[in-house]
Amino acid sequence: MMSTMMLAMAMMILSNVLMMLNTMISKKSINDREKSSPFECGFDPKSSSRTPFSLKFFLIAVIFLIFDIEIALMLPMIPIMVKLNMTQWMLTTMTFITILTLGLYHEWYQGALMWTK
């Protein structure tokens, strides 16, 4: 028991020493103007690097991610059909698809899917 505790203590000390050594070695000490500026084909950028982007693109990306996750959640429904009885499976599947349909209707009603607005 004592040897296990000593071994655990030695591993903790060794890992802490290695982490401290890593933080001391890896710090950049010189901040170069060229390295901290945005890079654009070797030239200085002509405009600000923080230009605003269209909120529509962001909204479409978020909607895509939501529907992508929903598809990943729907894929296991087919193999689960074998393990559940048909009424449980139908109730679970219809509840899930109803929630998805209501979410799609809400996004459509709010105008999130109107691209030319």
Side-chain angles (χ1 to χ4, degrees):
M1 183 70 174
M2 191 65 155
S3 65
T4 307
M5 289 177 60
M6 293 297 280
L7 183 63
M9 193 84 118
M11 283 195 278
M12 289 172 66
I13 290 172
L14 180 64
S15 64
N16 284 332
V17 166
L18 288 175
M19 284 191 291
M20 284 190 286
L21 184 66
N22 185 27
T23 56
M24 286 189 291
I25 291 174
S26 68
K27 293 288 182 186
K28 292 182 181 178
S29 60
I30 301 172
N31 286 336
D32 190 14
R33 180 187 163 280
E34 293 296 324
K35 288 184 179 179
S36 63
S37 66
F39 183 73
E40 187 175 319
C41 301
F43 302 105
D44 288 332
K46 294 181 180 180
S47 63
S48 173
S49 63
R50 298 284 183 188
T51 56
F53 61 95
S54 174
L55 193 58
K56 284 287 186 187
F57 288 116
F58 177 73
L59 191 59
I60 294 295
V62 168
I63 291 171
F64 171 76
L65 286 176
I66 290 170
F67 282 110
D68 193 33
I69 290 171
E70 291 167 357
I71 289 172
L73 291 173
M74 287 179 76
L75 284 176
M77 286 184 180
I78 302 300
I80 288 176
M81 184 172 60
V82 177
K83 296 183 181 179
L84 295 176
N85 65 20
M86 198 55 140
T87 56
Q88 287 178 332
W89 184 80
M90 284 296 286
L91 183 66
T92 305
T93 304
M94 287 301 145
T95 303
F96 187 72
I97 290 175
T98 303
I99 291 171
L100 294 182
T101 306
L102 289 174
L104 177 63
Y105 175 74
H106 177 70
E107 289 172 357
W108 195 343
Y109 181 72
Q110 293 293 322
L113 302 177
M114 296 288 291
W115 184 257
T116 58
K117 193 174 181 183

